[in-house]
Amino acid sequence: MADVVVVGSGPNGLAAAVILASAGLSVEVYEAETTAGGGARTAELTLPGFHHDVCSGAHPMALASPFFRAFDLSARGVDLLVPEVSYAHPLDGGRAGLAWLDLDRTVADLGRDGDAWRRLFEPLVRNWRSVVDLTMADLRRLPQDLPTAVRFGLRLAEQGSPLWNARFHEDIAPALLTGAATHAITSPRALPAVGAGLLLATLGHAGGWVIPRGGSQAIPDALIAELEELGGRLHVGHRVDSLDEFAGARAVLLDVAPAGLLRLAAGRLPTRYVERLLRFRYGGAACKVDFALSGPVPWRAEGCERAGTLHLIGSRAEAMAAEGAVAAGRHAERPYVLAIQPGVVDPGRAPGDAQTFYTYAHVPNGSDRDISDAVIAQVERFAPGFRDLILATNVITAAEMPAHNANYVGGDISAGAMTLRQTAFRPAPRWNPYATPLSGVYLCSSATPPGPGVHGMNGMHAARHVLRHEFDIRTDPLDLLRERQPQHR
């Protein structure tokens, strides 16, 4: 039996596996699906030759997270493509907010609200590494850059309060920020959503929302290649049903949702901890709709055709109403739709002049409704003629999501509702949120701090605890990664 076993091959599980293998430990990873990668997989979902990202499609953290900065995807052969417009937010009347990679260009486009956008984001963009380190921490340590933490906190308090419109005069800039905040699948004025929006918008001007050439699968493939070079092993198509399978391992890391931990550790966990996990809430969900198109989307607003990602909802008030409906267990008539057009930077995703088009819409947890008609209507609202380009579609309802990734309970792609309490105490109130009451068993999924996203930080934080407490290795995990970068070999 290996020193360490990792269950689940999502970015967090693989991040932990690579770090632990870099420390000289023997590591084996077990994945229930036949393809590794978890929320970062790519497949031909519609037609032959059309390569679609199964879950995540654009990656603001691929250049920014401390784990990936140390691992260096580009040095390991992943071609990270940067759209010149990180994200766009079309509005009715042929208007749109454009978050250019260039902050000055964004400011110039926003008219009367340009200066307000600059005052909001320029200090964060200038200190983006500190912003990322703050938001990607395990939430158990004081921030190293206190002035940036204070600036971020003041903006968080403003945008998470009734003052959220105070600095703006028009509707484009606030909608542009709200589109980023609504990634959290909760009220865009809730503090966790505002924090996510501020982070994502900052990264939109500092590195960009990158799209990997060929698909998101390139990210886990690079991690797997490094793991195997270090002597680690990956087992796909191997569903783990009990922790008893790994009785000989010194440490087990679980890239699983709390529901998965309850299943794997059935009868072994203390009653009080079980009760806490049973109280863990899963939040709003996603219905994924992928399209094979005969050509580019005919956006009405100029500039949208250059954006890698688009938020299709309309005004800030519409976003609030749509997310309120989802929180109440209803389907919004006009749902929030997140769309990605990888062909803007990666035309090889589809044959000839054809395009792949990625969307998901927010729906109530557990929804079995195919809402592709509502998604098409929302795209048509901002891109008349879109419907005529559709060659094929593939729909994964929220209820079907767990069959593709067991961590998405009820279709919750955040692996847990993004409430304030569950942001600070994921998955249960404990000083060490990664350790479980079982000796040597740790959680490293998005259900732990700092939460969802393809950044590898949950796995990195868990690996640090495993190294220190199970193997008495005090080396910083990031130093282990830096030593393994190709230029240092």
Side-chain angles (χ1 to χ4, degrees):
M1 179 60 66
D3 294 325
V4 179
V5 166
V6 178
V7 179
S9 69
N12 286 310
L14 292 174
V18 166
I19 289 168
L20 295 166
S22 297
L25 304 174
S26 59
V27 180
E28 299 198 14
V29 179
Y30 291 83
E31 169 58 50
E33 302 298 322
T34 56
T35 304
R41 288 177 289 163
T42 304
E44 294 182 335
L45 298 177
T46 54
L47 298 172
F50 287 77
H51 299 277
H52 302 270
D53 289 321
V54 178
C55 183
S56 58
H59 298 275
M61 298 301 297
L63 293 171
S65 92
F67 172 79
F68 282 129
R69 294 202 311 259
F71 183 75
D72 195 344
L73 287 163
S74 296
R76 288 177 164 83
V78 182
D79 193 0
L80 299 172
L81 307 171
V82 184
E84 57 182 335
V85 177
S86 295
Y87 60 99
H89 193 113
L91 292 165
D92 294 322
R95 303 173 301 139
L98 304 176
W100 297 89
L101 181 60
D102 183 342
L103 176 61
D104 290 338
R105 193 168 182 179
T106 306
V107 168
D109 275 359
L110 288 175
R112 291 179 64 201
D113 283 335
D115 286 343
W117 191 268
R118 184 187 299 281
R119 289 193 299 272
L120 186 64
F121 284 107
E122 190 170 55
L124 302 182
V125 173
R126 187 169 56 245
N127 298 289
W128 68 266
R129 287 179 178 82
S130 294
V131 172
V132 171
D133 291 348
L134 172 70
T135 53
M136 290 291 105
D138 63 4
L139 307 182
R140 301 300 187 272
R141 295 177 177 85
L142 291 174
Q144 293 183 335
D145 184 346
L146 191 57
T148 296
V150 170
R151 292 187 191 100
F152 189 86
L154 290 173
R155 287 157 174 77
L156 184 71
E158 173 199 302
Q159 290 299 308
S161 78
L163 297 174
W164 74 332
N165 279 318
R167 70 168 64 228
F168 299 118
H169 302 284
E170 299 177 345
D171 59 346
I172 294 180
L176 189 63
L177 177 54
T178 297
T182 311
H183 280 233
I185 320 185
T186 188
S187 168
R189 209 172 79 184
L191 289 178
V194 173
L198 290 171
L199 171 64
L200 292 173
T202 297
L203 295 178
H205 303 305
W209 292 16
V210 303
I211 293 175
R213 187 181 300 278
S216 296
Q217 188 74 50
I219 294 175
D221 284 353
L223 292 166
I224 292 165
E226 179 70 3
L227 174 65
E228 292 177 341
E229 187 171 325
L230 288 162
R233 297 177 61 193
L234 170 67
H235 308 271
V236 296
H238 184 124
R239 176 183 168 86
V240 177
D241 291 314
S242 172
L243 292 177
D244 294 340
E245 186 173 340
F246 309 119
R250 291 179 62 182
V252 179
L253 286 90
L254 304 175
D255 187 1
V256 303
L261 172 58
L262 289 170
R263 180 180 65 84
L264 294 173
R268 297 175 58 180
L269 293 167
T271 301
R272 186 176 180 184
Y273 186 71
V274 169
E275 291 173 347
R276 289 176 174 174
L277 294 186
L278 290 173
R279 287 196 295 268
F280 185 80
R281 288 179 49 207
Y282 297 97
C287 176
K288 181 79 158 38
V289 187
D290 286 288
F291 298 90
L293 303 179
S294 61
V297 179
W299 301 107
R300 177 180 287 155
E302 184 178 355
C304 288
E305 75 283 355
R306 303 163 85 171
T309 302
L310 300 102
H311 304 134
L312 311 180
I313 185 59
S315 68
R316 176 169 263 189
E318 285 184 88
M320 286 286 287
E323 295 306 293
V326 170
R330 304 191 309 272
H331 291 83
E333 182 178 349
R334 283 181 162 182
Y336 173 92
V337 175
L338 185 144
I340 299 173
Q341 41 189 17
V344 168
V345 288
D346 188 12
R349 297 283 189 97
D353 294 329
Q355 302 279 319
T356 62
F357 189 61
Y358 163 122
T359 72
Y360 69 69
H362 293 174
V363 296
N365 192 280
S367 167
D368 61 0
R369 184 183 298 184
D370 173 352
I371 64 163
S372 55
D373 286 345
V375 170
I376 292 170
Q378 198 72 312
V379 181
E380 278 272 343
R381 174 184 174 187
F382 305 111
F386 169 75
R387 190 186 305 271
D388 298 333
L389 301 174
I390 299 172
L391 301 174
T393 63
N394 183 77
V395 179
I396 304 174
T397 68
E400 294 167 336
M401 281 275 184
H404 296 267
N405 189 327
N407 286 0
Y408 298 159
V409 178
D412 176 1
I413 59 177
S414 298
M418 296 299 293
T419 65
L420 184 59
R421 181 179 184 276
Q422 286 198 172
T423 299
F425 302 108
R426 296 170 74 89
R430 292 171 65 88
W431 179 250
N432 183 346
Y434 311 97
T436 75
L438 302 178
S439 177
V441 178
Y442 294 78
L443 275 172
C444 65
S445 70
S446 294
T448 62
V454 179
H455 44 64
M457 292 301 294
N458 316 67
M460 193 205 79
H461 291 310
R464 176 184 281 116
H465 286 284
V466 170
L467 288 172
R468 178 169 298 182
H469 299 296
E470 304 299 332
F471 298 94
D472 197 27
I473 297 174
R474 304 283 170 162
T475 308
D476 188 327
L478 296 181
D479 289 338
L480 293 171
L481 294 174
R482 294 186 188 104
E483 291 170 5
R484 288 286 305 171
Q485 284 185 2
Q487 62 268 31
H488 293 157
R489 296 181 190 175

